[in-house]
Structures are given as C-alpha cells and as structure tokens.
Amino acid sequence: MIGDSMWQYFIESNLYKIEITGGSVKIFDKNTNRLKKEFKGYTYLYTGAINPNETEFFALENGKHFYVYSLKNMELKKRVTLPRTYESIDVCGFYSEEGKTINIPAERYVYDNKEQEIGHYEYVLFKYSSTDYTLIEKIDIPDNHSYLWEDIKNWVSENNI
C-alpha cells in the first residue's frame, strides 16, 4: 500500500504496521498505533514485505541491498547484497506463500556493443532462503513479461515458481 506521499510505503499484518520512508523504517503496533522501533540512516529504502508468520520483514533498497528485521526482538538481522551488477529498481519483493523464500526482482544492463553503448536489460527473480538469507535460485523473467512487481508475483504464482 502506498502512503500519502510518494516517499512513504506501508506494509501491514495482523499485528504490525510498518512505514518505510526512504531513510527510515518505523514499526508500529497495529492495534495501538504505538511506535515500537525506528531504524534510521538509510537511503532509498522504499518497499518491503512481512513474512506470513509475522516474525520478520524485509525492506528493499532501490539499489543493491535488502535488509531483514526481526519482529520478535525488533533488531536488524541481516543486510543482503544482490549479486554483482544487479539492482532492484522501483520494484517490491515478496515472501513465498509458506514464507520459506524471499523473492527479489532485479535487473541489469547487458552491453551488446559496449563501444557504441548498445545493450538491453535482463530481468530476473532472485530467490533467497528465509532461514539463512543465501541465494538459492536465479530465475530469468521472460522478455515479454512486465517488470511491474505485481505482475511478477502473479507470474511466479501462475507458473508455480
């Protein structure tokens, strides 16, 4: 859900409301609206997702990283760097239905002719283990498929990926 300004992104579960503002992440108790924890000092954190059992969430950077936070002890668990040359730009990742993987759409520019600066974008979906946050699979997204994150999530579901 996009917030009131273009720099706010809200994710909600039964217990939490999380606001991602680009430079900070705020965790609120959904029932009382009380701020439980705030993390500051980021640049370009704009989207994220809460896992199905509401024990953690991640915030995705408009760039090369995502950050995993514990909702049990309200701490940063891990900063994960995408594979070299890939970035996540204007997309939102998601947990698998059972919460075993974190799915991150990414892109990179591949030069067909570097001297003439001619090339194309390659779109992929990275699947990370939600246990140890290691990369377990890279899936190519077909060229004829939209890179919009809602469409990618539907494509993954339709193709049992």
Side-chain angles (χ1 to χ4, degrees):
M1 172 173 86
I2 301 290
D4 295 333
S5 80
M6 62 186 280
W7 305 114
Q8 291 176 304
Y9 185 85
F10 295 100
I11 50 179
E12 293 186 26
S13 68
N14 292 324
L15 301 174
Y16 303 100
K17 179 179 176 183
I18 299 167
E19 178 184 5
I20 302 172
T21 65
S24 69
V25 175
K26 298 176 184 177
I27 305 169
F28 295 90
D29 180 294
K30 187 174 178 181
N31 297 318
T32 66
N33 211 28
R34 189 178 127 255
L35 179 65
K36 295 181 75 78
K37 183 74 175 193
E38 181 175 9
F39 299 90
K40 295 180 179 181
Y42 300 101
T43 51
Y44 306 117
L45 285 184
Y46 293 120
T47 64
I50 300 172
N51 72 346
N53 64 12
E54 299 184 60
T55 58
E56 72 176 31
F57 73 97
F58 70 85
L60 181 60
E61 177 183 87
N62 218 13
K64 299 179 182 294
H65 305 98
F66 67 93
Y67 300 81
V68 182
Y69 303 87
S70 170
L71 288 169
K72 291 180 183 176
N73 58 18
M74 301 294 165
E75 293 180 353
L76 175 64
K77 292 173 76 171
K78 184 86 171 175
R79 175 181 176 240
V80 180
T81 303
L82 298 178
R84 186 175 161 86
T85 71
Y86 286 95
E87 294 182 307
S88 286
I89 305 295
D90 298 331
V91 294
C92 185
F94 54 95
Y95 283 91
S96 60
E97 283 186 31
E98 71 287 343
K100 292 184 180 182
T101 63
I102 297 172
N103 302 290
I104 305 293
E107 66 181 31
R108 74 175 174 172
Y109 193 75
V110 179
Y111 284 100
D112 299 319
N113 183 326
K114 193 160 187 159
E115 291 172 359
Q116 294 180 0
E117 296 188 11
I118 298 171
H120 65 280
Y121 281 96
E122 172 186 272
Y123 301 103
V124 299
L125 181 72
F126 290 119
K127 289 180 150 296
Y128 289 87
S129 164
S130 62
T131 305
D132 61 7
Y133 313 107
T134 57
L135 179 61
I136 55 178
E137 188 174 9
K138 175 186 136 197
I139 300 166
D140 293 327
I141 297 174
D143 289 340
N144 63 349
H145 192 74
S146 168
Y147 188 58
L148 297 174
W149 74 267
E150 298 96 341
D151 292 340
I152 292 170
K153 190 173 182 179
N154 291 335
W155 175 74
V156 167
S157 178
E158 290 166 4
N159 291 283
N160 296 316
I161 295 174

